[in-house]
Amino acid sequence: MLAAPINPSDINQVEGVYPIKKKPQEYVDADSGEKLMGYIGGNEGVAQVVKIDSAIKDEIKVGDWVAPRYPGSLGTWSEYAYADVEDLVRIRPAETNEIDNKSESSTIASAKTAKMITPEDLSTVKVNGSTAYRMLSDFMQAKKDGKQEDQYVIQNGANGSAGQYVIQIAKELGLKTINVVRDRENFEETKAQLCKLGADIVIKDSELVAGNKSPSDTYLQVLALSKKGLIKLGINCVGGGIKNKTGSIEMAKMLANKSYYVTYGAMSKLPLVIPASFLIFKDIRFVGFWVSQWYVEQPVPKWQEMWQDLGRMIAENKLKPQPMNPIAWPTVSTTANTSSSPQTENTKQSIMGILFPTSVDGTKKTTAKNYFKFY
């Protein structure tokens, strides 16, 4: 693996509350030799092919950069992994000069942009970047065509990874953004960072909740846009809240009639309570979006068309992934014969990964062995 992020959905999977379940496999403890059932965490990342079975005839070659085809098909929090070729998607060939008109459509990078993109750039594109891209592309009522007034997207969780992608992709599409963030001591610093990415308006959650009772200048600015019917899309990663005191429903109040309100997360873990008037009188379409399901339903060429566009934006410096705090794998001296280790004819290498033990039937264990450990 070249790079693999830690996504909130990965943590949900470890907790046993995520819809996608990994299939447990047998592993061997590198220290004790004890056999354990478990799975390697992580669903997203970029890997480089180091060996291919000689019997496999496929466009994927040694040295290519690849990504898991489907969430759950490969544990990315590991140093090495075995994978069926059907579970991988090539995102960049080993030699970028191999990209031609025939093969370019099967990669995330074109011949012009491939050398400008790093594994870190690509490691979050398949989930957060693609989530932002699809919500803006699939649910925006109408796009700016130069003849209309500016059109706005309003979103919460704007300082998160997906939120930052929304800001930048919206700008590329000619849309403006209203960005809601939770109250914090460093609000002005956060606001400046988001504006640097292209945010047009940044407002505190508390300002949106207070509304006309104690209107701030920023709230009045948003309200004026709402009255003109210019806010065409709502994007919600927070979910709901106690008495809706999270600004989630206040965002919906700002939407123009017949707009979409898309929920793709529920960080508050509280239900979203929707007033009937929004459905009856404003005809706001409340929908959910889960990019994992989108990948299942859409053909691979459509994925790659989207990835090509995201790759172009990254290469043109129009799309900057969220700053990362890289964590290197620790060095281990133990050589273990594990069932998942890459093997050559004469040697067996140790493999490092974060293993989450399970019972034989795949359910989460609650014993003392439910811990992080490297193998």
Side-chain angles (χ1 to χ4, degrees):
M1 292 301 301
L2 301 177
I6 299 175
N7 193 294
S9 61
D10 296 321
I11 304 302
N12 293 154
Q13 193 171 61
V14 172
E15 294 170 336
V17 297
Y18 200 64
I20 296 176
K21 310 295 182 185
K22 285 181 179 284
K23 183 179 179 181
Q25 296 176 297
E26 185 178 276
Y27 295 85
V28 179
D29 189 317
D31 298 320
S32 67
E34 179 186 3
K35 292 183 178 180
L36 298 172
M37 292 297 294
Y39 64 85
I40 299 295
N43 292 298
E44 188 181 17
V46 177
Q48 187 170 36
V49 178
V50 295
K51 187 175 181 180
I52 298 178
D53 190 295
S54 59
I56 295 176
K57 305 298 181 184
D58 194 88
E59 71 169 12
I60 293 178
K61 303 291 189 296
V62 171
D64 286 352
W65 289 6
V66 295
R69 183 178 291 266
Y70 299 113
S73 62
L74 179 66
T76 59
W77 294 350
S78 61
E79 190 181 26
Y80 293 94
Y82 278 126
D84 292 330
V85 70
E86 294 82 8
D87 290 333
L88 301 174
V89 175
R90 185 172 74 157
I91 56 177
R92 203 192 84 166
E95 297 296 334
T96 54
N97 57 12
E98 289 181 3
I99 302 178
D100 52 29
N101 292 334
K102 182 179 179 181
S103 65
E104 188 169 300
S105 62
S106 66
T107 64
I108 195 170
S110 66
K112 181 179 179 181
T113 63
K115 293 182 180 180
M116 306 177 190
I117 301 176
T118 68
E120 291 77 13
D121 290 334
L122 300 180
S123 64
T124 61
V125 164
K126 192 168 184 285
V127 175
N128 289 326
S130 297
T131 294
Y133 187 98
R134 291 262 57 95
M135 290 190 296
L136 291 168
S137 300
D138 298 346
F139 298 106
M140 192 64 191
Q141 192 179 60
K143 296 180 182 177
K144 182 179 177 182
D145 61 8
K147 298 178 182 179
Q148 301 170 309
E149 290 188 81
D150 291 328
Q151 296 183 26
Y152 286 78
V153 176
I154 186 168
Q155 65 160 340
N156 55 24
N159 57 315
S161 179
Q164 292 183 38
Y165 276 118
V166 166
I167 291 169
Q168 297 172 88
I169 296 171
K171 183 178 180 180
E172 175 68 4
L173 295 175
L175 304 169
K176 292 186 177 293
T177 56
I178 301 166
N179 303 278
V180 184
V181 298
R182 287 182 295 178
D183 291 39
R184 60 195 66 225
E185 291 183 2
N186 66 337
F187 172 76
E188 291 301 326
E189 179 184 345
T190 300
K191 177 180 177 180
Q193 291 172 346
L194 297 182
C195 289
K196 188 175 181 180
L197 291 176
D200 297 284
I201 298 173
V202 181
I203 184 171
K204 295 177 185 176
D205 196 73
S206 61
E207 292 179 272
L208 203 58
V209 171
N212 283 320
K213 294 179 182 178
S214 180
S216 65
D217 290 342
T218 307
Y219 175 82
L220 293 175
Q221 183 184 4
V222 174
L223 185 62
L225 295 170
S226 174
K227 289 180 177 179
K228 290 182 179 180
L230 298 179
I231 306 177
K232 303 288 190 176
L233 175 64
I235 295 178
N236 172 32
C237 74
V238 173
I242 299 174
K243 296 183 180 179
N244 288 318
K245 297 302 182 184
T246 61
S248 299
I249 284 299
E250 279 69 18
M251 288 201 315
K253 290 179 182 178
M254 297 295 177
L255 293 176
N257 290 3
K258 298 185 182 298
S259 296
Y260 278 97
Y261 184 100
V262 185
T263 296
Y264 71 98
M267 301 303 290
S268 70
K269 298 184 179 180
L270 294 170
L272 180 65
V273 181
I274 303 169
S277 60
F278 290 3
L279 302 171
I280 299 169
F281 304 121
K282 297 192 70 175
D283 194 17
I284 294 175
R285 291 86 190 271
F286 289 85
V287 299
F289 181 76
W290 186 26
V291 75
S292 297
Q293 187 62 34
W294 184 90
Y295 282 123
V296 171
E297 295 173 350
Q298 300 299 325
V300 172
K302 192 162 185 178
W303 309 2
Q304 292 164 331
E305 178 185 352
M306 171 179 65
W307 292 350
Q308 281 262 317
D309 206 18
L310 290 168
R312 173 191 61 79
M313 293 182 208
I314 293 171
E316 293 176 358
N317 206 31
K318 294 178 178 178
L319 188 61
K320 298 177 181 178
Q322 188 176 23
M324 300 180 187
N325 180 25
I327 302 172
W329 285 109
T331 302
V332 294
S333 58
T334 305
T335 298
N337 296 339
T338 71
S339 61
S340 55
S341 299
Q343 299 181 19
T344 63
E345 291 182 1
N346 301 315
T347 63
K348 291 186 177 181
Q349 298 174 286
S350 63
I351 181 172
M352 291 189 293
I354 301 177
L355 178 69
F356 300 98
T358 65
S359 63
V360 176
D361 64 1
T363 58
K364 183 181 176 185
K365 271 189 175 180
T366 55
T367 66
K369 284 192 175 294
N370 189 21
Y371 53 77
F372 290 85
K373 190 166 184 179
F374 290 98
Y375 289 86

